[in-house]
Amino acid sequence: MLTNLTPQPADKILQLMQAYREDPRTDKVDLGVGVYRNAEGVTPVMRAIKAAEKKLWEVESTKAYTGLAGDPAYAAALRKLILGDTVDAGRIAAVATPGGTGAIRQAFELIRMASPEATVWLSAPTWPNHPSILKYLGMRMAEYSYFDDATRDVDFGAMMDSLGGVRKGDVVLLHGCCHNPTGANLTLEQWQAVADHLKAVGAIPMIDIAYQGFGDGLEADAAGTRLIAKQLPEVLIAASCSKNFGIYRERTGILMAIAPETGAQPLTQGTLAYLNRQNFSFPPDHGARLVTMILEDDALRADWMAELEEVRNGMLALRQQLADELRQRSNSDRFDFIANHRGMFSRLGATPEQVETMRKENGIYMVGDSRINIAGLNSETVPLLAQAIVDAGV
Ligand code: LMR
C-alpha cells in the first residue's frame, strides 16, 4: 500500500524554514515563516501566558475531555475579543479548533457539506495553504484581484471588478487584517463596498483573522470583520491565537459561524461539533484555557494588551526604519509602501531571481514571492536588508 504513494507538493514556507536551518552561515537572516521574533531573535512566551500557566497548574484538577466544541467560555471570550457586541451571541455557532488552520479546514468542510457547488473566492495572492486545502478537499475555487504589483497597494478597482463574477451562494475569503502575504489592507470604506456587494449578490463572506493586534491595534484590526458581521446574514470567521498570544505550538484557534436570524444556529452548532468529531474529536484545550483565563482576568488582560502593543509598535518601528534606509539608499520614495503596510508581512515586489540573489549573496531568506516577515528583522539587520534590496536591483 505505502509504495503506491506519490510525493506531495512541498509547502513553500516550510521548505524555506528547512533551507534556512541548513545554511551554515552565521550572519543569515530569516524573514520566512510568520513567527514573531524580538530583537534578540527569540519568540518569547508572553508574560500573561506564563502567569496563566502557573495559575492553571495550581487550580486545574482534571485533564478529562472538554466538550466537542471546546469550552463555551473560550468561545464567549473570543467572540467578545473579535466581534465586540456587534452580533447577538444567540446567532453564533462556534467550535475550538487546532489553530487557525484547523478553523479554516473546518470552515471549508462546512461549506462543502452545505453548498457543494459553491466556489470559494481567494485574493490574488493569498496564504498558500488556502488553495492547497481547497484543492485537497476537491472544492471549487476562483481568484479575485487584490494586489497591485506596481503600487504595492490594494488595487481596489480591479478587486471589485473581479468580485463582479461572484454568484449567489459563493464564498469570498477575506483577510480580517494584516493581509498575508502582501501587508496591504482594505480601508473601512472599501470594506463597506465589499459588504454591500456581497450582500446584494447573496454571497457569504469568510474572514480569516490570524493577526488581530499586529496592525493598528486590537479594536482597529477587528473593524472590517465587525462591519461585515453586523451587516451580512451569514458569515464564517476563522481566527487564530497563535500570533497575538504567541502560543503557536499550542494550536489554538476558533471557527465561528454567524447564522441568519431564522434560527439556524443550533443546526450549525451541531454540524460544527460533528465535524470536529470526524476530524480530530475533542479540540486541544491548553492554549484555549490560557487565552480564556487572560481575557477574563482584568490584570492578566491588561498585561497581555500592553505586551501586544510593545510587539506591534516594535514592528511599526522596524517598518519605518526599513523605509527610511531604502529611501536613502535608493534615492527614491518607491519603498515608502513598507511603512504603510500593516502586520507581520510586506511583499517587496522583487522577482524570484532577485529573491534568490539575496539568499545566495546575503543569506537573507524570504518567501519566493518576496514576502518578508518584518518581525525577523532587528535594528542591526535592517540596513543589511536595505542594501541587499538595492544591490539586487529591486
Ligand atoms: C505564515 O504564513 O508564515 C504562517 O501563517 C505560518 C504558516 O503556517 O504558514
Side-chain angles (χ1 to χ4, degrees), residues 103-132:
I104 289 163
R105 170 68 186 266
Q106 298 298 73
F108 289 164
E109 293 209 26
L110 186 75
I111 296 163
R112 191 174 60 167
M113 279 175 93
S115 194
E117 301 303 315
T119 296
V120 179
W121 291 73
L122 306 174
S123 64
T126 191
W127 184 49
N129 218 14
H130 288 149
S132 177

Side-chain angles (χ1 to χ4, degrees), residues 92-365:
I92 304 177
V95 280
T97 55
T101 307
I104 289 163
R105 170 68 186 266
Q106 298 298 73
F108 289 164
E109 293 209 26
L110 186 75
I111 296 163
R112 191 174 60 167
M113 279 175 93
S115 194
E117 301 303 315
T119 296
V120 179
W121 291 73
L122 306 174
S123 64
T126 191
W127 184 49
N129 218 14
H130 288 149
S132 177
I133 300 174
L134 285 169
K135 184 168 176 238
Y136 175 69
L137 293 173
M139 294 173 68
R140 292 190 183 170
M141 60 181 133
E143 278 190 339
Y144 60 86
S145 302
Y146 186 79
F147 191 63
D148 183 335
D149 286 319
T151 62
R152 273 86 149 183
D153 200 354
V154 177
D155 185 345
F156 193 64
M159 176 176 173
M160 290 307 281
D161 277 352
S162 51
L163 288 180
V166 172
R167 299 278 161 263
K168 187 174 183 336
D170 282 355
V171 175
V172 177
L173 202 164
L174 301 155
H175 295 226
C177 60
C178 309
H179 186 269
N180 180 3
T182 67
N185 298 290
L186 299 179
T187 64
L188 267 188
E189 291 70 36
Q190 292 169 339
W191 274 103
Q192 185 58 60
V194 172
D196 290 342
H197 179 63
L198 300 188
K199 198 170 178 184
V201 170
I204 295 101
M206 170 173 163
I207 298 173
D208 180 356
I209 180 158
Y211 296 88
Q212 188 184 354
F214 272 33
D216 291 309
L218 278 170
E219 296 293 310
D221 289 350
T225 306
R226 290 177 187 182
L227 183 153
I228 291 268
K230 200 173 180 151
Q231 299 180 26
L232 275 286
E234 285 186 54
V235 184
L236 300 176
I237 301 168
S240 169
C241 299
S242 297
K243 279 88 181 180
N244 52 9
F245 286 87
I247 48 173
Y248 304 84
R249 64 177 64 171
E250 301 297 354
R251 310 312 298 136
T252 308
I254 192 163
L255 173 61
M256 293 191 274
I258 304 177
E261 271 153 3
T262 50
Q265 191 274 352
L267 181 59
T268 312
Q269 184 65 48
T271 310
L272 290 182
Y274 169 83
L275 279 174
N276 269 13
R277 182 67 169 159
Q278 304 322 303
N279 281 328
F280 47 80
S281 195
F282 297 89
D285 180 67
H286 186 72
R289 197 150 297 277
L290 300 174
V291 165
T292 311
M293 288 169 74
I294 291 169
L295 293 177
E296 285 180 347
D297 180 292
D298 287 346
L300 285 179
R301 186 189 174 100
D303 190 45
W304 167 68
M305 285 173 68
E307 192 169 357
L308 184 58
E309 266 306 275
E310 287 163 28
V311 164
R312 187 177 79 80
N313 287 325
M315 287 190 294
L316 284 179
L318 287 167
R319 283 188 178 282
Q320 193 58 55
Q321 192 195 346
L322 182 58
D324 291 346
E325 289 279 351
L326 280 162
R327 212 172 226 257
Q328 204 193 334
R329 286 164 205 261
S330 70
N331 217 2
S332 80
D333 59 6
R334 68 180 194 278
F335 294 103
D336 282 8
F337 65 87
I338 292 172
N340 300 329
H341 283 172
R342 283 295 177 271
M344 221 180 214
F345 307 118
S346 270
R347 182 185 262 203
L348 293 177
T351 64
E353 293 73 30
Q354 290 167 334
V355 169
E356 177 72 2
T357 301
M358 287 187 265
R359 190 171 64 77
K360 277 210 184 113
E361 303 293 323
N362 312 95
I364 293 172
Y365 283 73

